Amino acid sequence: MSIEDYGGGQSRSDVLVVTTNDVPGHAVQQVIGEVFGLTVRSRHVGSQIGAGLKSMIGGELKGLTKTLVETRNQAMDRLVEQARSRGANAVLMFRFDVTEAADIGTEVCAYGTAVVIAPKS
């Protein structure tokens, strides 16, 4: 597996997503409100067995790492789509929240504040 398999974040999009409270050189024209993208992924039995064996000898659980990256990217894509559909061109204060979902999977929520920004004049 290459490093691209473990990367995340935003590919080119018309909606800028940042973890900061503002975007340098831009002013917030309108606050649309909270947006989120949510996904829940169950664990594959084979990966759980492999992870259990790997945990006995130590090291990175690469299959689980890749699955979590894919899950986070899916949640972020859903957040961007929701922001876009509400008329936003940016999401400020972007965060992830990850929790166990009833011992059957992992819930990943990407959330932030949808806004309309424009360059300062």
Side-chain angles (χ1 to χ4, degrees):
M1 286 187 240
S2 68
I3 192 66
E4 289 83 21
D5 294 327
Y6 299 100
Q10 189 174 18
S11 57
R12 294 186 169 199
S13 176
D14 57 328
V15 178
L16 177 66
V17 179
V18 297
T19 59
T20 56
N21 295 334
D22 54 19
V23 177
H26 291 74
V28 173
Q29 302 293 308
Q30 177 186 2
V31 175
I32 294 171
E34 179 192 14
V35 289
F36 67 90
L38 181 67
T39 187
V40 178
R41 293 274 181 106
S42 63
R43 292 188 196 95
H44 183 275
V45 172
S47 69
Q48 284 183 301
I49 292 169
L53 294 173
K54 183 74 171 185
S55 68
M56 287 191 262
I57 59 172
E60 181 182 9
L61 306 174
K62 291 184 180 182
L64 292 177
T65 300
K66 186 175 178 185
T67 299
L68 185 54
V69 167
E70 291 168 351
T71 304
R72 288 171 58 124
N73 287 343
Q74 182 179 46
M76 186 172 183
D77 289 346
R78 290 177 177 176
L79 165 113
V80 168
E81 184 55 39
Q82 186 183 58
R84 181 184 297 114
S85 72
R86 294 180 61 192
N89 65 357
V91 176
L92 304 179
M93 299 175 289
F94 170 74
R95 303 286 187 269
F96 280 114
D97 185 43
V98 180
T99 59
E100 291 297 312
D103 284 337
I104 60 168
T106 302
E107 172 191 326
V108 176
C109 182
Y111 63 96
T113 303
V115 298
V116 175
I117 60 172
K120 292 180 182 176
S121 32

